[in-house]
């Protein structure tokens, strides 16, 4: 976890499945900060982070939660994220799972509503998931991270970019840059291009 932008790259991880349960040693995570992954890259990255340091004694499946809006106003990102994560899980299981243990994906729809999201993450914690991939938006991440912290459950968001969750000692990780980084790099590009002088910003007041 990078305390400035919390970004973890898929470049660090290979196809060897492992389970990560909140060991935040600087030496490990510093090596993981490289470039931003593609959609399939972040799916594999999220899953692999969620699978590091796992004991191989049990034959029970490894339960991984997926929390996102698969209905409601942001269902497009929630559904595409689910398809990517399901693909990563299927690929993992086709190669024998993790030390012979299959990965089971448990999906919860937060409907893009914080109250629904909080209930959904409580259900995932009660179902004994080892980690949760999601949520997809910053407002949902802010709503559910305290519950993940209380349950000591690793939360890996592919797309939440809020600065409000940066630099904290918690169980929230992201595999994307923050809004500040995106905005800064975009502004630098526009200034250096020399051909763009008027900019319109479009944003979601509910996120």
């Amino acid at each position: 976890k990078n305390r400035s932008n919390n970004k973890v790259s898929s470049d660090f991880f290979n196809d060897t499945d492992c389970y990560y349960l909140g060991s935040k040693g600087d030496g490990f995570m510093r090596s993981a900060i490289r470039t931003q992954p593609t959609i399939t890259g972040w799916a594999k990255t999220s899953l692999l982070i969620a699978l590091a340091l796992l004991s191989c004694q049990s034959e029970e499946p490894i339960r991984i939660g997926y929390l996102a809006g698969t209905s409601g106003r942001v269902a497009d990102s929630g559904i595409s994220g689910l398809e990517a994560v399901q693909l990563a899980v299927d690929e993992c299981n086709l190669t024998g799972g993790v030390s012979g243990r299959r990965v089971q994906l448990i999906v919860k729809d937060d409907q893009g509503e914080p109250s629904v999201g909080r209930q959904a993450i409580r259900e995932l914690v009660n179902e004994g998931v080892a980690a949760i991939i999601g949520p997809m938006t910053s407002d949902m991440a802010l709503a559910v991270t305290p519950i993940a912290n209380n349950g000591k459950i690793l939360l890996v968001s592919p797309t939440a970019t809020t600065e409000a969750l940066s630099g904290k000692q918690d169980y929230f990780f992201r595999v994307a840059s923050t809004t500040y980084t995106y905005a800064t790099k975009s502004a630098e590009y526009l200034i250096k291009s020399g051909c763009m002088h008027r900019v319109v910003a479009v944003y979601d007041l509910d996120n």
Side-chain angles (χ1 to χ4, degrees):
K1 185 170 183 179
N2 184 320
R3 299 194 183 283
S4 61
N5 61 16
N6 299 352
K7 184 171 69 173
V8 179
S9 169
S10 60
D11 289 354
F12 177 76
F13 301 95
N14 54 31
D15 290 333
T16 302
D17 296 309
C18 41
Y19 175 62
Y20 184 80
L21 192 58
S23 174
K24 300 185 180 180
D26 289 338
F28 173 80
M29 295 314 295
R30 256 202 310 268
S31 300
I33 301 161
R34 296 185 184 173
T35 59
Q36 184 173 332
T38 61
I39 186 168
T40 53
W42 68 245
K44 288 185 177 180
T45 301
S46 300
L47 183 62
L48 291 173
I49 292 176
L51 294 176
L53 303 180
L54 178 69
S55 168
C56 56
Q57 300 299 318
S58 174
E59 295 182 357
E60 290 292 318
I62 301 167
R63 297 181 180 87
I64 300 294
Y66 178 77
L67 176 64
T70 54
S71 66
R73 63 187 179 84
V74 292
D76 54 342
S77 62
I79 292 172
S80 63
L82 174 58
E83 291 172 347
V85 172
Q86 187 64 66
L87 177 61
V89 169
D90 291 345
E91 288 181 348
C92 176
N93 288 332
L94 283 173
T95 57
V98 181
S99 300
R101 296 175 62 182
R102 293 181 59 80
V103 177
Q104 177 186 356
L105 186 64
I106 302 175
V107 180
K108 297 291 183 181
D109 178 13
D110 63 33
Q111 301 176 25
E113 296 292 338
S115 59
V116 177
R118 283 189 283 266
Q119 178 60 34
I121 194 172
R122 290 189 185 100
E123 292 174 1
L124 288 172
V125 172
N126 291 336
E127 290 184 46
V129 298
I132 298 169
I133 298 173
M136 304 297 280
T137 61
S138 294
D139 60 338
M140 294 303 303
L142 289 166
V144 304
T145 294
I147 300 171
N149 291 339
N150 290 337
K152 297 183 178 180
I153 299 295
L154 185 68
L155 192 65
V156 184
S157 174
T159 51
T161 58
T162 178
E163 286 284 327
L165 289 171
S166 295
K168 296 183 180 296
Q169 189 76 356
D170 56 19
Y171 284 81
F172 174 82
F173 286 77
R174 59 164 59 101
V175 291
S177 297
T178 64
T179 303
Y180 176 84
T181 301
Y182 283 131
T184 301
K185 294 300 181 182
S186 296
E188 289 176 353
Y189 171 78
L190 293 174
I191 292 170
K192 291 177 181 178
S193 70
C195 60
M196 299 183 186
H197 305 288
R198 301 177 68 185
V199 177
V200 175
V202 180
Y203 55 95
D204 184 352
L205 290 173
D206 292 326
N207 183 23

